[in-house]
C-alpha cells in the first residue's frame, strides 16, 4: 500500500499561505491490470487521489506497491484499465496522446 503526504497552499506574502481548491490531477477508482486470464497482475486497485494546484505531494511505499505504475499514469505514459483520470477538468481518456 502506497502512502502520500501533501502540503498545500499558495505563497501570498512572507510566510503566509492562502488555501484554495482547484483539482489539477484527480484519480477516481483507478485500476491498472497487466496480462490476461490467469496471468493477470493487479498493479493498482481502485486508487483515489486529488492533487490541487500549488500542492506538493510525496508518494512513498515499499517496492512493488504500484508507485511506478501510478507515476506512469499521472505522467500520461500509460492509461488506466479502469477508472477516471481527470487533468485540469479534462478526462484523459478523451485526450489524444
Amino acid at each position: 500500500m502506497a502512502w502520500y503526504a501533501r502540503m498545500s497552499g499558495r505563497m501570498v506574502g512572507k510566510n503566509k499561505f492562502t488555501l484554495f481548491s482547484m483539482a489539477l490531477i484527480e484519480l477516481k477508482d483507478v485500476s491498472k491490470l497487466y496480462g490476461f486470464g490467469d496471468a493477470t497482475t493487479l498493479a493498482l486497485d481502485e486508487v483515489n487521489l486529488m492533487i490541487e494546484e500549488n500542492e506538493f505531494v510525496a508518494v512513498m511505499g515499499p517496492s512493488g506497491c504500484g508507485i511506478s505504475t501510478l507515476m506512469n499514469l499521472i505522467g500520461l505514459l500509460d492509461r488506466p484499465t479502469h477508472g477516471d483520470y481527470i487533468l485540469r477538468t479534462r478526462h484523459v481518456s478523451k485526450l489524444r496522446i
Side-chain angles (χ1 to χ4, degrees):
M1 173 185 287
W3 296 92
Y4 67 93
R6 62 176 53 184
M7 181 177 79
S8 65
R10 177 173 47 125
M11 193 67 135
V12 174
K14 194 173 188 179
N15 298 325
K16 295 180 183 174
F17 286 90
T18 300
L19 298 177
F20 56 93
S21 172
M22 170 62 183
L24 177 65
I25 294 171
E26 188 171 0
L27 303 178
K28 296 180 181 177
D29 297 323
V30 169
S31 297
K32 181 65 180 177
L33 301 167
Y34 292 103
F36 300 99
D38 292 337
T40 301
T41 301
L42 181 63
L44 293 176
D45 188 16
E46 297 182 2
V47 173
N48 290 295
L49 173 68
M50 184 185 303
I51 301 174
E52 297 175 3
E53 206 165 328
N54 294 323
E55 189 170 45
F56 300 94
V57 178
V59 181
M60 303 176 296
S63 179
C65 72
I67 294 172
S68 294
T69 302
L70 179 63
M71 293 296 118
N72 286 337
L73 293 176
I74 290 173
L76 302 177
L77 298 174
D78 204 353
R79 291 187 181 237
T81 308
H82 302 286
D84 294 319
Y85 174 12
I86 301 166
L87 179 63
R88 283 201 186 268
T89 71
R90 298 188 67 186
H91 286 267
V92 168
S93 61
K94 296 179 182 173
L95 295 177
R96 286 190 202 169
I97 300 175

